Amino acid sequence: MTQTVVITGFMGCGKSKVARELAECLNVTMVDLDERITAHTGRTPAQLIDEDGEGAFRTIETETLRDVLESREAGVIALGGGAWIEQANRTLIEDYGCASVWLDVPFEVCWARIEYAAEDRPLGRTKNQAAALYERRRPVYQLAGTHIQVAGKEELDDLISVIRSALSAG
Ligand code: S3P
């Protein structure tokens, strides 16, 4: 597969895990956008948002995405939950001819993971805040090329098979 696959979806939907496994199955390199941002700036997305504001973080996120796409190093990219929401990023993803996959996971499943994760998520610190964001973003995630409904209890292998079939059908 020569087309880069970007994995999107809400915080806690399992983007990084799925992207890592998909990349392994396809024998391609996986880039986690949030990890790349941390490696380049020396600060996590949460620190960037807290210290410099969400707008500053989004600028860095877009620059980092552009760099990753330009380098053509990644077969699979795990986006941060808000990256796909930015029009500039969706345009870049389209310009580079990527396939986009939305992991559509119920809010309660995402929230349970957000709540218990060690990772700080400044845009999902309370359930109400996260729920409002989830609803607001859904129509934008819907724009992804491939929509994968995930209940949250699937075996990872099975989920990867579903994604691979959907990608080869599309
Ligand atoms: C964000 C999600 C986070 C991270 C940042 C902003 C968002 O990534 O990029 O905290 O706007 O939804 P995950 O989706 O991996 O938690």
PDB file of all heavy atoms in Angstrom, residues 6 8 33 49 54-63 65-66 69 79-94 123 133 136-137 139-141 143:
ATOM      1  N   VAL A   6      -4.299   7.921   7.614  1.00  0.00           N
ATOM      2  CA  VAL A   6      -4.363   8.698   8.849  1.00  0.00           C
ATOM      3  C   VAL A   6      -5.545   8.202   9.682  1.00  0.00           C
ATOM      4  O   VAL A   6      -6.628   7.947   9.163  1.00  0.00           O
ATOM      5  CB  VAL A   6      -4.461  10.231   8.634  1.00  0.00           C
ATOM      6  CG1 VAL A   6      -3.299  10.772   7.845  1.00  0.00           C
ATOM      7  CG2 VAL A   6      -5.758  10.634   7.977  1.00  0.00           C
ATOM      8  N   THR A   8      -8.085   8.961  12.710  1.00  0.00           N
ATOM      9  CA  THR A   8      -8.644  10.048  13.493  1.00  0.00           C
ATOM     10  C   THR A   8      -9.766   9.544  14.400  1.00  0.00           C
ATOM     11  O   THR A   8     -10.187   8.393  14.321  1.00  0.00           O
ATOM     12  CB  THR A   8      -9.127  11.206  12.582  1.00  0.00           C
ATOM     13  OG1 THR A   8      -9.538  12.286  13.408  1.00  0.00           O
ATOM     14  CG2 THR A   8     -10.300  10.784  11.703  1.00  0.00           C
ATOM     15  N   LEU A  33       1.418  11.667  15.821  1.00  0.00           N
ATOM     16  CA  LEU A  33       1.621  13.117  15.686  1.00  0.00           C
ATOM     17  C   LEU A  33       1.914  13.785  17.039  1.00  0.00           C
ATOM     18  O   LEU A  33       2.811  14.635  17.121  1.00  0.00           O
ATOM     19  CB  LEU A  33       0.393  13.748  15.018  1.00  0.00           C
ATOM     20  CG  LEU A  33       0.579  15.170  14.485  1.00  0.00           C
ATOM     21  CD1 LEU A  33       1.664  15.232  13.406  1.00  0.00           C
ATOM     22  CD2 LEU A  33      -0.729  15.716  13.941  1.00  0.00           C
ATOM     23  N   ILE A  49      -0.679  23.373  25.231  1.00  0.00           N
ATOM     24  CA  ILE A  49      -2.013  23.985  25.349  1.00  0.00           C
ATOM     25  C   ILE A  49      -2.098  24.796  26.636  1.00  0.00           C
ATOM     26  O   ILE A  49      -2.564  25.946  26.641  1.00  0.00           O
ATOM     27  CB  ILE A  49      -3.124  22.905  25.281  1.00  0.00           C
ATOM     28  CG1 ILE A  49      -3.179  22.269  23.888  1.00  0.00           C
ATOM     29  CG2 ILE A  49      -4.492  23.504  25.645  1.00  0.00           C
ATOM     30  CD1 ILE A  49      -4.061  21.028  23.766  1.00  0.00           C
ATOM     31  N   GLU A  54      -4.399  26.948  23.130  1.00  0.00           N
ATOM     32  CA  GLU A  54      -4.741  25.962  22.103  1.00  0.00           C
ATOM     33  C   GLU A  54      -4.336  26.434  20.707  1.00  0.00           C
ATOM     34  O   GLU A  54      -3.881  25.646  19.879  1.00  0.00           O
ATOM     35  CB  GLU A  54      -6.247  25.629  22.145  1.00  0.00           C
ATOM     36  CG  GLU A  54      -6.584  24.484  21.200  1.00  0.00           C
ATOM     37  CD  GLU A  54      -8.066  24.147  21.114  1.00  0.00           C
ATOM     38  OE1 GLU A  54      -8.850  24.621  21.959  1.00  0.00           O
ATOM     39  OE2 GLU A  54      -8.430  23.406  20.173  1.00  0.00           O
ATOM     40  N   GLY A  55      -4.487  27.741  20.441  1.00  0.00           N
ATOM     41  CA  GLY A  55      -4.160  28.262  19.106  1.00  0.00           C
ATOM     42  C   GLY A  55      -2.702  28.003  18.752  1.00  0.00           C
ATOM     43  O   GLY A  55      -2.387  27.584  17.627  1.00  0.00           O
ATOM     44  N   ALA A  56      -1.826  28.243  19.708  1.00  0.00           N
ATOM     45  CA  ALA A  56      -0.389  28.032  19.470  1.00  0.00           C
ATOM     46  C   ALA A  56      -0.123  26.547  19.233  1.00  0.00           C
ATOM     47  O   ALA A  56       0.666  26.169  18.354  1.00  0.00           O
ATOM     48  CB  ALA A  56       0.415  28.534  20.668  1.00  0.00           C
ATOM     49  N   PHE A  57      -0.785  25.710  20.011  1.00  0.00           N
ATOM     50  CA  PHE A  57      -0.627  24.266  19.821  1.00  0.00           C
ATOM     51  C   PHE A  57      -1.083  23.850  18.423  1.00  0.00           C
ATOM     52  O   PHE A  57      -0.414  23.079  17.727  1.00  0.00           O
ATOM     53  CB  PHE A  57      -1.399  23.483  20.890  1.00  0.00           C
ATOM     54  CG  PHE A  57      -1.529  22.022  20.563  1.00  0.00           C
ATOM     55  CD1 PHE A  57      -0.418  21.188  20.562  1.00  0.00           C
ATOM     56  CD2 PHE A  57      -2.768  21.464  20.225  1.00  0.00           C
ATOM     57  CE1 PHE A  57      -0.525  19.845  20.229  1.00  0.00           C
ATOM     58  CE2 PHE A  57      -2.886  20.122  19.898  1.00  0.00           C
ATOM     59  CZ  PHE A  57      -1.763  19.306  19.899  1.00  0.00           C
ATOM     60  N   ARG A  58      -2.228  24.392  17.977  1.00  0.00           N
ATOM     61  CA  ARG A  58      -2.753  24.007  16.648  1.00  0.00           C
ATOM     62  C   ARG A  58      -1.780  24.398  15.535  1.00  0.00           C
ATOM     63  O   ARG A  58      -1.659  23.692  14.530  1.00  0.00           O
ATOM     64  CB  ARG A  58      -4.128  24.642  16.401  1.00  0.00           C
ATOM     65  CG  ARG A  58      -5.232  24.172  17.321  1.00  0.00           C
ATOM     66  CD  ARG A  58      -5.573  22.721  17.165  1.00  0.00           C
ATOM     67  NE  ARG A  58      -6.497  22.275  18.210  1.00  0.00           N
ATOM     68  CZ  ARG A  58      -6.563  21.038  18.673  1.00  0.00           C
ATOM     69  NH1 ARG A  58      -5.784  20.093  18.189  1.00  0.00           N
ATOM     70  NH2 ARG A  58      -7.404  20.710  19.615  1.00  0.00           N
ATOM     71  N   THR A  59      -1.124  25.541  15.697  1.00  0.00           N
ATOM     72  CA  THR A  59      -0.149  25.968  14.686  1.00  0.00           C
ATOM     73  C   THR A  59       0.991  24.950  14.599  1.00  0.00           C
ATOM     74  O   THR A  59       1.381  24.525  13.498  1.00  0.00           O
ATOM     75  CB  THR A  59       0.396  27.373  15.049  1.00  0.00           C
ATOM     76  OG1 THR A  59      -0.708  28.265  15.113  1.00  0.00           O
ATOM     77  CG2 THR A  59       1.401  27.872  14.031  1.00  0.00           C
ATOM     78  N   ILE A  60       1.488  24.546  15.749  1.00  0.00           N
ATOM     79  CA  ILE A  60       2.589  23.563  15.783  1.00  0.00           C
ATOM     80  C   ILE A  60       2.109  22.220  15.225  1.00  0.00           C
ATOM     81  O   ILE A  60       2.822  21.536  14.488  1.00  0.00           O
ATOM     82  CB  ILE A  60       3.103  23.394  17.237  1.00  0.00           C
ATOM     83  CG1 ILE A  60       3.769  24.687  17.695  1.00  0.00           C
ATOM     84  CG2 ILE A  60       4.060  22.213  17.361  1.00  0.00           C
ATOM     85  CD1 ILE A  60       4.089  24.735  19.177  1.00  0.00           C
ATOM     86  N   GLU A  61       0.880  21.871  15.563  1.00  0.00           N
ATOM     87  CA  GLU A  61       0.312  20.598  15.100  1.00  0.00           C
ATOM     88  C   GLU A  61       0.267  20.561  13.565  1.00  0.00           C
ATOM     89  O   GLU A  61       0.661  19.573  12.937  1.00  0.00           O
ATOM     90  CB  GLU A  61      -1.103  20.459  15.693  1.00  0.00           C
ATOM     91  CG  GLU A  61      -1.770  19.127  15.482  1.00  0.00           C
ATOM     92  CD  GLU A  61      -3.143  19.084  16.165  1.00  0.00           C
ATOM     93  OE1 GLU A  61      -3.956  20.020  15.992  1.00  0.00           O
ATOM     94  OE2 GLU A  61      -3.416  18.103  16.873  1.00  0.00           O
ATOM     95  N   THR A  62      -0.182  21.663  12.962  1.00  0.00           N
ATOM     96  CA  THR A  62      -0.267  21.718  11.495  1.00  0.00           C
ATOM     97  C   THR A  62       1.129  21.677  10.865  1.00  0.00           C
ATOM     98  O   THR A  62       1.350  20.966   9.877  1.00  0.00           O
ATOM     99  CB  THR A  62      -1.031  22.993  11.048  1.00  0.00           C
ATOM    100  OG1 THR A  62      -2.352  22.927  11.579  1.00  0.00           O
ATOM    101  CG2 THR A  62      -1.112  23.115   9.532  1.00  0.00           C
ATOM    102  N   GLU A  63       2.068  22.419  11.463  1.00  0.00           N
ATOM    103  CA  GLU A  63       3.451  22.409  10.930  1.00  0.00           C
ATOM    104  C   GLU A  63       4.041  20.998  11.007  1.00  0.00           C
ATOM    105  O   GLU A  63       4.707  20.538  10.080  1.00  0.00           O
ATOM    106  CB  GLU A  63       4.342  23.365  11.735  1.00  0.00           C
ATOM    107  CG  GLU A  63       4.120  24.824  11.386  1.00  0.00           C
ATOM    108  CD  GLU A  63       4.740  25.781  12.405  1.00  0.00           C
ATOM    109  OE1 GLU A  63       5.401  25.305  13.363  1.00  0.00           O
ATOM    110  OE2 GLU A  63       4.538  26.996  12.238  1.00  0.00           O
ATOM    111  N   LEU A  65       2.387  18.134  11.145  1.00  0.00           N
ATOM    112  CA  LEU A  65       1.705  17.260  10.192  1.00  0.00           C
ATOM    113  C   LEU A  65       2.270  17.482   8.786  1.00  0.00           C
ATOM    114  O   LEU A  65       2.542  16.525   8.050  1.00  0.00           O
ATOM    115  CB  LEU A  65       0.189  17.521  10.222  1.00  0.00           C
ATOM    116  CG  LEU A  65      -0.638  16.717   9.223  1.00  0.00           C
ATOM    117  CD1 LEU A  65      -0.556  15.209   9.495  1.00  0.00           C
ATOM    118  CD2 LEU A  65      -2.112  17.160   9.251  1.00  0.00           C
ATOM    119  N   ARG A  66       2.470  18.749   8.433  1.00  0.00           N
ATOM    120  CA  ARG A  66       3.012  19.057   7.101  1.00  0.00           C
ATOM    121  C   ARG A  66       4.395  18.412   6.928  1.00  0.00           C
ATOM    122  O   ARG A  66       4.675  17.787   5.910  1.00  0.00           O
ATOM    123  CB  ARG A  66       3.083  20.567   6.883  1.00  0.00           C
ATOM    124  CG  ARG A  66       3.574  20.917   5.475  1.00  0.00           C
ATOM    125  CD  ARG A  66       3.676  22.397   5.202  1.00  0.00           C
ATOM    126  NE  ARG A  66       2.368  23.048   5.188  1.00  0.00           N
ATOM    127  CZ  ARG A  66       1.947  23.907   6.105  1.00  0.00           C
ATOM    128  NH1 ARG A  66       2.729  24.232   7.123  1.00  0.00           N
ATOM    129  NH2 ARG A  66       0.749  24.452   6.022  1.00  0.00           N
ATOM    130  N   LEU A  69       4.069  14.634   6.481  1.00  0.00           N
ATOM    131  CA  LEU A  69       3.547  14.281   5.157  1.00  0.00           C
ATOM    132  C   LEU A  69       4.591  14.548   4.075  1.00  0.00           C
ATOM    133  O   LEU A  69       4.789  13.723   3.182  1.00  0.00           O
ATOM    134  CB  LEU A  69       2.259  15.060   4.865  1.00  0.00           C
ATOM    135  CG  LEU A  69       1.039  14.663   5.709  1.00  0.00           C
ATOM    136  CD1 LEU A  69      -0.100  15.663   5.525  1.00  0.00           C
ATOM    137  CD2 LEU A  69       0.570  13.257   5.355  1.00  0.00           C
ATOM    138  N   LEU A  79      -3.335  10.712  14.367  1.00  0.00           N
ATOM    139  CA  LEU A  79      -3.513  12.138  14.644  1.00  0.00           C
ATOM    140  C   LEU A  79      -3.870  12.324  16.113  1.00  0.00           C
ATOM    141  O   LEU A  79      -4.339  11.389  16.765  1.00  0.00           O
ATOM    142  CB  LEU A  79      -4.663  12.701  13.800  1.00  0.00           C
ATOM    143  CG  LEU A  79      -4.522  12.649  12.278  1.00  0.00           C
ATOM    144  CD1 LEU A  79      -5.799  13.204  11.627  1.00  0.00           C
ATOM    145  CD2 LEU A  79      -3.312  13.450  11.808  1.00  0.00           C
ATOM    146  N   GLY A  80      -3.725  13.539  16.634  1.00  0.00           N
ATOM    147  CA  GLY A  80      -4.332  13.877  17.920  1.00  0.00           C
ATOM    148  C   GLY A  80      -5.822  14.105  17.660  1.00  0.00           C
ATOM    149  O   GLY A  80      -6.222  14.355  16.513  1.00  0.00           O
ATOM    150  N   GLY A  81      -6.628  14.040  18.691  1.00  0.00           N
ATOM    151  CA  GLY A  81      -8.084  14.096  18.517  1.00  0.00           C
ATOM    152  C   GLY A  81      -8.630  15.352  17.861  1.00  0.00           C
ATOM    153  O   GLY A  81      -9.707  15.338  17.271  1.00  0.00           O
ATOM    154  N   GLY A  82      -7.878  16.456  17.940  1.00  0.00           N
ATOM    155  CA  GLY A  82      -8.374  17.697  17.363  1.00  0.00           C
ATOM    156  C   GLY A  82      -7.777  18.015  15.998  1.00  0.00           C
ATOM    157  O   GLY A  82      -8.210  18.965  15.331  1.00  0.00           O
ATOM    158  N   ALA A  83      -6.795  17.221  15.579  1.00  0.00           N
ATOM    159  CA  ALA A  83      -6.070  17.559  14.342  1.00  0.00           C
ATOM    160  C   ALA A  83      -6.986  17.530  13.120  1.00  0.00           C
ATOM    161  O   ALA A  83      -6.957  18.435  12.273  1.00  0.00           O
ATOM    162  CB  ALA A  83      -4.885  16.611  14.156  1.00  0.00           C
ATOM    163  N   TRP A  84      -7.803  16.497  13.025  1.00  0.00           N
ATOM    164  CA  TRP A  84      -8.705  16.356  11.870  1.00  0.00           C
ATOM    165  C   TRP A  84      -9.739  17.478  11.823  1.00  0.00           C
ATOM    166  O   TRP A  84     -10.309  17.788  10.766  1.00  0.00           O
ATOM    167  CB  TRP A  84      -9.405  14.989  11.947  1.00  0.00           C
ATOM    168  CG  TRP A  84     -10.415  14.771  10.858  1.00  0.00           C
ATOM    169  CD1 TRP A  84     -11.764  14.922  10.950  1.00  0.00           C
ATOM    170  CD2 TRP A  84     -10.141  14.386   9.501  1.00  0.00           C
ATOM    171  NE1 TRP A  84     -12.363  14.654   9.743  1.00  0.00           N
ATOM    172  CE2 TRP A  84     -11.385  14.322   8.831  1.00  0.00           C
ATOM    173  CE3 TRP A  84      -8.961  14.094   8.783  1.00  0.00           C
ATOM    174  CZ2 TRP A  84     -11.485  13.971   7.491  1.00  0.00           C
ATOM    175  CZ3 TRP A  84      -9.074  13.745   7.442  1.00  0.00           C
ATOM    176  CH2 TRP A  84     -10.311  13.687   6.811  1.00  0.00           C
ATOM    177  N   ILE A  85     -10.013  18.102  12.975  1.00  0.00           N
ATOM    178  CA  ILE A  85     -11.058  19.125  13.059  1.00  0.00           C
ATOM    179  C   ILE A  85     -10.634  20.401  12.331  1.00  0.00           C
ATOM    180  O   ILE A  85     -11.473  21.163  11.856  1.00  0.00           O
ATOM    181  CB  ILE A  85     -11.400  19.415  14.553  1.00  0.00           C
ATOM    182  CG1 ILE A  85     -11.769  18.103  15.274  1.00  0.00           C
ATOM    183  CG2 ILE A  85     -12.507  20.449  14.706  1.00  0.00           C
ATOM    184  CD1 ILE A  85     -12.883  17.280  14.605  1.00  0.00           C
ATOM    185  N   GLU A  86      -9.332  20.595  12.221  1.00  0.00           N
ATOM    186  CA  GLU A  86      -8.813  21.803  11.555  1.00  0.00           C
ATOM    187  C   GLU A  86      -8.863  21.622  10.041  1.00  0.00           C
ATOM    188  O   GLU A  86      -8.261  20.684   9.500  1.00  0.00           O
ATOM    189  CB  GLU A  86      -7.359  22.057  11.986  1.00  0.00           C
ATOM    190  CG  GLU A  86      -7.180  22.238  13.477  1.00  0.00           C
ATOM    191  CD  GLU A  86      -7.909  23.459  14.025  1.00  0.00           C
ATOM    192  OE1 GLU A  86      -7.772  24.543  13.426  1.00  0.00           O
ATOM    193  OE2 GLU A  86      -8.632  23.316  15.025  1.00  0.00           O
ATOM    194  N   GLN A  87      -9.518  22.554   9.379  1.00  0.00           N
ATOM    195  CA  GLN A  87      -9.634  22.489   7.909  1.00  0.00           C
ATOM    196  C   GLN A  87      -8.254  22.420   7.234  1.00  0.00           C
ATOM    197  O   GLN A  87      -8.056  21.669   6.270  1.00  0.00           O
ATOM    198  CB  GLN A  87     -10.424  23.715   7.413  1.00  0.00           C
ATOM    199  CG  GLN A  87     -10.467  23.877   5.914  1.00  0.00           C
ATOM    200  CD  GLN A  87     -11.293  22.806   5.214  1.00  0.00           C
ATOM    201  OE1 GLN A  87     -12.500  22.734   5.403  1.00  0.00           O
ATOM    202  NE2 GLN A  87     -10.656  21.973   4.414  1.00  0.00           N
ATOM    203  N   ALA A  88      -7.305  23.199   7.752  1.00  0.00           N
ATOM    204  CA  ALA A  88      -5.965  23.227   7.139  1.00  0.00           C
ATOM    205  C   ALA A  88      -5.355  21.823   7.131  1.00  0.00           C
ATOM    206  O   ALA A  88      -4.699  21.425   6.154  1.00  0.00           O
ATOM    207  CB  ALA A  88      -5.060  24.186   7.910  1.00  0.00           C
ATOM    208  N   ASN A  89      -5.595  21.080   8.202  1.00  0.00           N
ATOM    209  CA  ASN A  89      -5.028  19.731   8.283  1.00  0.00           C
ATOM    210  C   ASN A  89      -5.741  18.776   7.331  1.00  0.00           C
ATOM    211  O   ASN A  89      -5.105  17.938   6.685  1.00  0.00           O
ATOM    212  CB  ASN A  89      -5.118  19.209   9.721  1.00  0.00           C
ATOM    213  CG  ASN A  89      -4.325  20.061  10.680  1.00  0.00           C
ATOM    214  OD1 ASN A  89      -3.411  20.776  10.269  1.00  0.00           O
ATOM    215  ND2 ASN A  89      -4.658  20.002  11.952  1.00  0.00           N
ATOM    216  N   ARG A  90      -7.056  18.924   7.244  1.00  0.00           N
ATOM    217  CA  ARG A  90      -7.795  18.051   6.318  1.00  0.00           C
ATOM    218  C   ARG A  90      -7.372  18.332   4.877  1.00  0.00           C
ATOM    219  O   ARG A  90      -7.264  17.420   4.058  1.00  0.00           O
ATOM    220  CB  ARG A  90      -9.312  18.233   6.476  1.00  0.00           C
ATOM    221  CG  ARG A  90      -9.822  17.798   7.839  1.00  0.00           C
ATOM    222  CD  ARG A  90     -11.330  17.543   7.835  1.00  0.00           C
ATOM    223  NE  ARG A  90     -12.121  18.668   7.377  1.00  0.00           N
ATOM    224  CZ  ARG A  90     -12.441  19.733   8.112  1.00  0.00           C
ATOM    225  NH1 ARG A  90     -12.014  19.824   9.374  1.00  0.00           N
ATOM    226  NH2 ARG A  90     -13.175  20.711   7.620  1.00  0.00           N
ATOM    227  N   THR A  91      -7.103  19.596   4.576  1.00  0.00           N
ATOM    228  CA  THR A  91      -6.635  19.947   3.228  1.00  0.00           C
ATOM    229  C   THR A  91      -5.272  19.305   2.954  1.00  0.00           C
ATOM    230  O   THR A  91      -5.049  18.724   1.889  1.00  0.00           O
ATOM    231  CB  THR A  91      -6.555  21.485   3.085  1.00  0.00           C
ATOM    232  OG1 THR A  91      -7.855  22.015   3.327  1.00  0.00           O
ATOM    233  CG2 THR A  91      -6.077  21.916   1.708  1.00  0.00           C
ATOM    234  N   LEU A  92      -4.371  19.394   3.947  1.00  0.00           N
ATOM    235  CA  LEU A  92      -3.047  18.772   3.779  1.00  0.00           C
ATOM    236  C   LEU A  92      -3.183  17.269   3.533  1.00  0.00           C
ATOM    237  O   LEU A  92      -2.552  16.710   2.632  1.00  0.00           O
ATOM    238  CB  LEU A  92      -2.231  18.946   5.067  1.00  0.00           C
ATOM    239  CG  LEU A  92      -1.406  20.217   5.232  1.00  0.00           C
ATOM    240  CD1 LEU A  92      -0.784  20.251   6.639  1.00  0.00           C
ATOM    241  CD2 LEU A  92      -0.312  20.286   4.169  1.00  0.00           C
ATOM    242  N   ILE A  93      -4.030  16.649   4.336  1.00  0.00           N
ATOM    243  CA  ILE A  93      -4.231  15.198   4.246  1.00  0.00           C
ATOM    244  C   ILE A  93      -4.768  14.829   2.858  1.00  0.00           C
ATOM    245  O   ILE A  93      -4.341  13.854   2.241  1.00  0.00           O
ATOM    246  CB  ILE A  93      -5.171  14.738   5.396  1.00  0.00           C
ATOM    247  CG1 ILE A  93      -4.405  14.821   6.731  1.00  0.00           C
ATOM    248  CG2 ILE A  93      -5.732  13.343   5.152  1.00  0.00           C
ATOM    249  CD1 ILE A  93      -5.283  14.782   7.976  1.00  0.00           C
ATOM    250  N   GLU A  94      -5.658  15.670   2.351  1.00  0.00           N
ATOM    251  CA  GLU A  94      -6.205  15.425   1.013  1.00  0.00           C
ATOM    252  C   GLU A  94      -5.139  15.681  -0.056  1.00  0.00           C
ATOM    253  O   GLU A  94      -4.972  14.892  -0.989  1.00  0.00           O
ATOM    254  CB  GLU A  94      -7.417  16.330   0.791  1.00  0.00           C
ATOM    255  CG  GLU A  94      -8.261  15.882  -0.370  1.00  0.00           C
ATOM    256  CD  GLU A  94      -9.402  16.835  -0.664  1.00  0.00           C
ATOM    257  OE1 GLU A  94      -9.896  17.485   0.281  1.00  0.00           O
ATOM    258  OE2 GLU A  94      -9.770  16.935  -1.845  1.00  0.00           O
ATOM    259  N   LEU A 123      -8.270  19.471  27.089  1.00  0.00           N
ATOM    260  CA  LEU A 123      -9.564  19.764  26.469  1.00  0.00           C
ATOM    261  C   LEU A 123     -10.627  18.756  26.874  1.00  0.00           C
ATOM    262  O   LEU A 123     -11.764  18.817  26.412  1.00  0.00           O
ATOM    263  CB  LEU A 123      -9.420  19.826  24.940  1.00  0.00           C
ATOM    264  CG  LEU A 123      -8.386  20.845  24.443  1.00  0.00           C
ATOM    265  CD1 LEU A 123      -8.317  20.848  22.930  1.00  0.00           C
ATOM    266  CD2 LEU A 123      -8.705  22.250  24.951  1.00  0.00           C
ATOM    267  N   LEU A 133     -17.573  18.623  23.436  1.00  0.00           N
ATOM    268  CA  LEU A 133     -16.594  18.591  22.342  1.00  0.00           C
ATOM    269  C   LEU A 133     -16.866  17.395  21.417  1.00  0.00           C
ATOM    270  O   LEU A 133     -16.796  17.510  20.188  1.00  0.00           O
ATOM    271  CB  LEU A 133     -15.193  18.476  22.965  1.00  0.00           C
ATOM    272  CG  LEU A 133     -13.995  18.894  22.132  1.00  0.00           C
ATOM    273  CD1 LEU A 133     -14.141  20.321  21.618  1.00  0.00           C
ATOM    274  CD2 LEU A 133     -12.715  18.766  22.966  1.00  0.00           C
ATOM    275  N   ARG A 136     -19.798  18.198  19.247  1.00  0.00           N
ATOM    276  CA  ARG A 136     -19.466  19.248  18.284  1.00  0.00           C
ATOM    277  C   ARG A 136     -18.580  18.706  17.151  1.00  0.00           C
ATOM    278  O   ARG A 136     -18.680  19.126  16.009  1.00  0.00           O
ATOM    279  CB  ARG A 136     -18.756  20.388  19.028  1.00  0.00           C
ATOM    280  CG  ARG A 136     -18.749  21.680  18.275  1.00  0.00           C
ATOM    281  CD  ARG A 136     -18.574  22.917  19.133  1.00  0.00           C
ATOM    282  NE  ARG A 136     -17.284  22.993  19.768  1.00  0.00           N
ATOM    283  CZ  ARG A 136     -17.108  23.055  21.094  1.00  0.00           C
ATOM    284  NH1 ARG A 136     -18.151  23.035  21.905  1.00  0.00           N
ATOM    285  NH2 ARG A 136     -15.911  23.134  21.605  1.00  0.00           N
ATOM    286  N   ARG A 137     -17.714  17.783  17.502  1.00  0.00           N
ATOM    287  CA  ARG A 137     -16.761  17.294  16.498  1.00  0.00           C
ATOM    288  C   ARG A 137     -17.305  16.189  15.596  1.00  0.00           C
ATOM    289  O   ARG A 137     -16.757  15.964  14.504  1.00  0.00           O
ATOM    290  CB  ARG A 137     -15.507  16.769  17.212  1.00  0.00           C
ATOM    291  CG  ARG A 137     -14.644  17.885  17.744  1.00  0.00           C
ATOM    292  CD  ARG A 137     -13.457  17.310  18.463  1.00  0.00           C
ATOM    293  NE  ARG A 137     -12.490  18.331  18.839  1.00  0.00           N
ATOM    294  CZ  ARG A 137     -11.389  18.068  19.502  1.00  0.00           C
ATOM    295  NH1 ARG A 137     -11.116  16.836  19.854  1.00  0.00           N
ATOM    296  NH2 ARG A 137     -10.547  19.044  19.799  1.00  0.00           N
ATOM    297  N   PRO A 139     -19.727  15.735  13.466  1.00  0.00           N
ATOM    298  CA  PRO A 139     -19.966  15.979  12.028  1.00  0.00           C
ATOM    299  C   PRO A 139     -18.675  16.169  11.232  1.00  0.00           C
ATOM    300  O   PRO A 139     -18.655  15.920  10.028  1.00  0.00           O
ATOM    301  CB  PRO A 139     -20.784  17.280  12.013  1.00  0.00           C
ATOM    302  CG  PRO A 139     -21.192  17.552  13.409  1.00  0.00           C
ATOM    303  CD  PRO A 139     -20.333  16.763  14.323  1.00  0.00           C
ATOM    304  N   VAL A 140     -17.634  16.585  11.889  1.00  0.00           N
ATOM    305  CA  VAL A 140     -16.354  16.784  11.175  1.00  0.00           C
ATOM    306  C   VAL A 140     -15.620  15.442  11.021  1.00  0.00           C
ATOM    307  O   VAL A 140     -15.070  15.140   9.953  1.00  0.00           O
ATOM    308  CB  VAL A 140     -15.469  17.842  11.879  1.00  0.00           C
ATOM    309  CG1 VAL A 140     -14.263  18.196  10.998  1.00  0.00           C
ATOM    310  CG2 VAL A 140     -16.266  19.091  12.220  1.00  0.00           C
ATOM    311  N   TYR A 141     -15.654  14.621  12.058  1.00  0.00           N
ATOM    312  CA  TYR A 141     -15.052  13.278  11.924  1.00  0.00           C
ATOM    313  C   TYR A 141     -15.749  12.512  10.789  1.00  0.00           C
ATOM    314  O   TYR A 141     -15.135  11.726  10.074  1.00  0.00           O
ATOM    315  CB  TYR A 141     -15.197  12.478  13.220  1.00  0.00           C
ATOM    316  CG  TYR A 141     -14.339  12.960  14.369  1.00  0.00           C
ATOM    317  CD1 TYR A 141     -14.872  13.133  15.643  1.00  0.00           C
ATOM    318  CD2 TYR A 141     -12.975  13.218  14.193  1.00  0.00           C
ATOM    319  CE1 TYR A 141     -14.088  13.547  16.710  1.00  0.00           C
ATOM    320  CE2 TYR A 141     -12.186  13.647  15.257  1.00  0.00           C
ATOM    321  CZ  TYR A 141     -12.749  13.805  16.514  1.00  0.00           C
ATOM    322  OH  TYR A 141     -11.975  14.216  17.564  1.00  0.00           O
ATOM    323  N   LEU A 143     -16.515  13.396   8.062  1.00  0.00           N
ATOM    324  CA  LEU A 143     -15.957  13.706   6.745  1.00  0.00           C
ATOM    325  C   LEU A 143     -14.816  12.763   6.355  1.00  0.00           C
ATOM    326  O   LEU A 143     -14.356  12.784   5.210  1.00  0.00           O
ATOM    327  CB  LEU A 143     -15.438  15.158   6.713  1.00  0.00           C
ATOM    328  CG  LEU A 143     -16.455  16.268   7.009  1.00  0.00           C
ATOM    329  CD1 LEU A 143     -15.755  17.620   7.127  1.00  0.00           C
ATOM    330  CD2 LEU A 143     -17.526  16.315   5.915  1.00  0.00           C
TER     331      LEU A 143
END
